[in-house]
Amino acid sequence: MKGVILGSTIAEKILARASGQVRVNAGDNIQAKPDFVVAYDFPGYTDVIFKQMKDEFGLTGVKDPSRYALFIDHMVPAVTPQEEELHQNTRDWGALNHVPVYERKGIGHQVASELGYATPGAFVVHFDGHISQLGTFGTLAMGVRRHLIESFVNEKIRMAVPATTRVDLVGQLQAGVMARDVFHHVVRVLGPASCRFQVLEFGGEAIADMGIDARQTLTCLAMFTGAVTAIINPDQVTLPYAQERARLTIEPLYSDRDATYAARHTIDISQLEPVVVIPPSPANTRNLVDHLGLPVQVGYLGSCASGRLEDLRAAAHVLRGRHVKPGFQLHVVPTSQEIMRQAAQEGLLTDLIAAGAFISSPSCDYCFGRLGVMSAGQRAVSTGTLNVRGRMGSTDSEIFIVNAAAVAAAAIEGQIADPRPYLR
């Protein structure tokens, strides 16, 4: 009805607060102040930002260092003098500017939530899009790529308020089906460009039934729908965890019932079976049962998307009392040191090691192909973020994305396998 003002989405409310306005709408051009600016050091990223600040803007530091955080989670430990030099430059810059540098604590996107940067209602920027997983806690966390330099030299960044697509998940998951399957099914249903330049907002009864780990998997992978980030309205599952750690006192925000969305979708996951994402694109979702028996030589269980306790428990359940097939390489990399500690306390690491898994300390290195690389002709089952050519070694190797339980089943059989018989 003409003249009626409808409600706002959680993303619009967060950006209104961050820009000092009562209300903003999708498409508005605003200047917003990020509550936190986070980054990891990587050649061509933070080192370039530090140099640009000095050479192009005459700046040697940042205002309000408490808003900034740096993570060393790639190339850990360093294997060349150049890698260690990069890390030392990051440490030195952080010390000079009183900006905290978190090192050897795990993958920064996960560690950021453990350290309270995932404050409900906060606005966070990073150059990496997987920071979207902070949206699990009602935080609007966006990967702005090379535009991140603006956040280092200015208090506010210029941006257009993104529209929001809402996806309500309904139904109850079957045994052996995990959040990883759910997300890739969403891509299959909606398409890889369905949320282009938008916020992907998850809701529905199935979300309410999911724990934090599963929700982080969903929000982490938002970019594969074209979205700039993902978010879930905070609830009693996430609020106790987030507010206990929160670095800011901000009132949690929620989407209004009459919020305006670019699109709304309801997806029933009650009949969903385990899926596999076929190389060389993260858009190629297929039913796992249609690819059983394909020989694979490598398994990777980890990444910012799927190396949490829920994943480690599923894999340990499948492998307990069984053994990895001789010649198969199973790499298990918990997402953070905190998760690794908890997995050790639960005995999960003992079960995985007894089955023949190789356990590595948390880092991004297996996911982006610095460690555990494949040679030409090899295939991997993986819970990593991508399956493009060359992601884990040779451009003539292949990566099949599956859930954690399916990685473990494949490790037993040496071929793509259905994890469900092992879970009965």
Side-chain angles (χ1 to χ4, degrees):
M1 182 181 298
K2 187 176 181 180
V4 174
I5 300 177
L6 298 176
S8 299
T9 66
I10 181 175
E12 290 167 345
K13 290 184 178 182
I14 291 172
L15 290 176
R17 183 193 62 78
S19 60
Q21 301 185 58
V22 175
R23 178 189 176 98
V24 300
N25 298 304
D28 288 352
N29 291 310
I30 62 171
Q31 293 189 54
K33 179 181 178 181
D35 296 292
F36 299 115
V37 179
V38 294
Y40 51 62
D41 78 345
F42 197 81
Y45 290 93
T46 45
D47 55 339
V48 170
I49 287 176
F50 301 157
K51 188 175 188 302
Q52 281 182 299
M53 289 179 65
K54 182 178 180 180
D55 294 349
E56 298 179 26
F57 298 95
L59 298 173
T60 57
V62 294
K63 295 181 179 178
D64 192 1
S66 65
R67 294 174 55 229
Y68 295 81
L70 299 173
F71 294 90
I72 297 177
D73 55 8
H74 290 68
M75 300 171 292
V76 178
V79 298
T80 68
Q82 292 77 20
E83 290 179 354
E84 178 56 25
E85 182 179 1
L86 175 75
H87 295 335
Q88 189 58 49
N89 287 341
T90 298
R91 298 182 195 111
D92 291 344
W93 189 92
L96 179 65
N97 291 283
H98 308 289
V99 170
V101 177
Y102 301 103
E103 181 174 7
R104 301 194 179 205
K105 291 184 178 294
I107 299 175
H109 306 313
Q110 168 67 30
V111 178
S113 64
E114 296 172 355
L115 295 176
Y117 293 100
T119 299
F123 176 41
V124 180
V125 293
H126 194 303
F127 54 69
D128 189 297
H130 293 302
I131 196 65
S132 59
Q133 66 190 262
L134 302 192
T136 294
F137 306 95
T139 305
L140 188 68
M142 300 175 61
V144 296
R145 300 301 175 185
R146 296 194 182 275
H147 294 294
L148 190 68
I149 179 64
E150 187 176 10
S151 300
F152 276 81
V153 300
N154 292 324
E155 185 177 64
K156 296 183 178 182
I157 62 172
R158 295 162 295 174
M159 61 180 294
V161 177
T164 298
T165 286
R166 168 87 177 202
V167 174
D168 287 298
L169 301 176
V170 299
Q172 190 172 23
L173 288 178
Q174 299 182 43
V177 182
M178 303 182 68
R180 200 58 194 259
D181 304 295
V182 174
F183 178 80
H184 294 298
H185 180 60
V186 169
V187 176
R188 172 167 57 184
V189 172
L190 301 185
S194 54
C195 303
R196 195 176 183 194
F197 304 127
Q198 298 177 5
V199 175
L200 172 58
E201 181 181 319
F202 284 109
E205 64 187 44
I207 289 290
D209 290 339
M210 289 182 180
I212 289 174
D213 289 1
R215 297 184 192 194
Q216 284 182 282
T217 293
L218 295 179
T219 55
C220 173
L221 298 167
M223 66 169 66
F224 299 120
T225 65
V228 294
T229 191
I231 198 164
I232 299 171
N233 286 276
D235 61 12
Q236 289 309 307
V237 174
T238 55
L239 280 173
Y241 178 97
Q243 291 184 319
E244 179 183 4
R245 295 163 173 77
R247 289 176 171 264
L248 294 174
T249 302
I250 300 176
E251 188 70 24
L253 297 169
Y254 304 85
S255 292
D256 294 322
R257 290 183 179 274
D258 60 347
T260 299
Y261 293 98
R264 293 198 67 155
H265 306 276
T266 299
I267 299 177
D268 189 341
I269 60 173
S270 57
Q271 300 302 312
L272 181 62
E273 297 186 356
V275 306
V276 57
V277 184
I278 304 299
S281 167
N284 294 336
T285 306
R286 304 287 189 271
N287 289 333
L288 183 73
V289 294
D290 295 331
H291 295 271
L292 301 181
L294 182 70
V296 288
Q297 297 78 35
V298 176
Y300 166 52
L301 198 172
S303 83
C304 60
S306 301
R308 300 181 181 85
L309 283 172
E310 180 176 85
D311 305 294
L312 299 173
R313 287 168 182 152
H317 189 164
V318 171
L319 285 165
R320 194 170 292 122
R322 302 183 176 95
H323 204 276
V324 172
K325 185 173 182 177
F328 189 96
Q329 302 174 58
L330 176 58
H331 304 292
V332 177
V333 187
T335 307
S336 74
Q337 289 285 76
E338 175 62 20
I339 290 170
M340 193 172 194
R341 181 188 65 79
Q342 293 177 40
Q345 288 181 336
E346 289 187 22
L348 302 178
L349 299 188
T350 299
D351 290 333
L352 293 167
I353 292 169
F358 182 82
I359 312 294
S360 288
S361 295
S363 80
C364 298
D365 293 331
Y366 283 85
C367 188
F368 83 98
R370 179 177 173 271
L371 295 175
V373 299
M374 292 188 290
S375 62
Q378 288 188 316
R379 298 190 188 99
V381 284
S382 170
T383 65
T385 57
L386 271 173
N387 62 345
V388 296
R389 296 188 188 280
R391 177 70 175 181
M392 292 174 63
S394 170
T395 54
D396 292 320
S397 61
E398 294 182 313
I399 304 167
F400 293 78
I401 295 174
V402 295
N403 72 33
V407 170
I412 295 169
E413 299 186 17
Q415 60 187 10
I416 291 180
D418 191 333
R420 291 172 292 184
Y422 296 99
L423 296 170
R424 290 170 187 159

